[in-house]
Amino acid sequence: MTITSRRFVRSAAGAAFVLALAVGCGSDTEDPAQPDQPSQEQDAGEGSGASDGGGSSDGGAADGGAATSDDGAAASDGGGSAAGSELPADADLASTELPIPAEDAVQRALDAAGGGDVHSITIDHDRRNGWEWEIEIRNDAQEHAIELSAISGEIIEHERDQDDDGEPAVDIADPMPYAEAIELALGAQDGRVSGWSLESDDDRIHYTVDIIPDGSNDDVEVEVDVETQDVRIDD
């Protein structure tokens, strides 16, 4: 091979080597025409952010649920306090104070009737209305039969009649308070006081105390005369 031929071969090989280097460098260089692509770490971060957002949303829902639950609990408590104010049907009136005591009930009935004389008063438990007072008042030859809640004091029923039997008026404080009548009745019959009444019958004023003996479902009526303090068990 001549010197000229060898120089041509070397020149061609060098050009090929330079071209190869240029191609290799070009492959490592980012194409400025292509937009930046997020890395996997960025993707993971954004996914975590979305998850956090979902967590915040879930947390909001959870908070909302908790608030609803709290509101429900508050309503339940309010009901509990309202239901709590309601005495059970098996309350013992010898040891339980009614929210609306007898004195208050009488005054409310007198206000509803427009005044008059009390001729009977009864406290017992009604299946529909719960604990209630039944009070009879007479004024101007008119009789008022008034039922009111022993828990709230609300008037449940108010009936009017022209009947007047001429029986004397009664007083829950004189000559014998109802607490004393209950004590005398329990001295004759042990048990739970489920109700009582004060009324006049044949010009005789007496209490009737309803007592349920232990282990029994039936009440025993014990009469207490307010004048003589005589106690009699009604068989």
Side-chain angles (χ1 to χ4, degrees):
M1 181 179 293
T2 63
I3 295 175
T4 302
S5 298
R6 285 196 295 269
R7 288 178 177 174
F8 177 80
V9 171
R10 289 195 188 112
S11 177
F17 177 75
V18 171
L19 180 61
L21 287 177
V23 172
C25 292
S27 63
D28 292 336
T29 304
E30 292 182 1
D31 186 358
Q34 297 296 326
D36 294 338
Q37 298 295 326
S39 64
Q40 292 182 355
E41 182 178 357
Q42 289 175 331
D43 289 342
E46 291 176 2
S48 174
S51 175
D52 291 342
S56 299
S57 175
D58 292 342
D63 291 341
T68 302
S69 176
D70 289 341
D71 291 343
S76 176
D77 290 341
S81 299
S85 64
E86 174 66 63
L87 294 179
D90 60 353
D92 188 350
L93 298 186
S95 57
T96 301
E97 182 177 355
L98 293 165
I100 305 298
E103 297 82 359
D104 193 358
V106 168
Q107 187 57 55
R108 289 170 184 258
L110 285 170
D111 291 343
D117 297 322
V118 178
H119 282 253
S120 74
I121 176 170
T122 301
I123 177 65
D124 61 13
H125 188 273
D126 181 80
R127 291 184 178 180
R128 181 182 61 180
N129 299 319
W131 288 100
E132 65 178 17
W133 292 102
E134 300 174 15
I135 301 173
E136 290 185 3
I137 296 174
R138 296 192 183 100
N139 58 13
D140 298 331
Q142 188 176 48
E143 181 178 273
H144 299 259
I146 299 172
E147 297 179 8
L148 59 91
S149 169
I151 304 302
S152 67
E154 177 185 0
I155 300 295
I156 298 173
E157 187 174 359
H158 185 172
E159 295 182 351
R160 298 166 179 81
D161 194 355
Q162 295 298 324
D163 186 24
D164 186 357
D165 56 14
E167 292 288 345
V170 302
D171 190 335
I172 56 174
D174 184 36
M176 178 184 290
Y178 58 89
E180 182 180 346
I182 290 175
E183 184 178 357
L184 290 172
L186 287 173
Q189 173 64 61
D190 291 332
R192 174 176 66 86
V193 177
S194 61
W196 59 265
S197 64
L198 173 62
E199 58 188 348
S200 56
D201 183 20
D202 295 332
D203 293 331
R204 184 177 70 90
I205 301 174
H206 63 87
Y207 284 94
T208 300
V209 182
D210 299 327
I211 300 176
I212 299 180
D214 294 339
S216 175
N217 294 324
D218 299 324
D219 63 339
V220 175
E221 294 184 352
V222 182
E223 289 189 3
V224 181
D225 192 293
V226 301
E227 294 288 347
T228 65
Q229 297 188 3
D230 288 340
V231 178
R232 181 177 68 87
I233 295 179
D234 189 8
D235 297 330

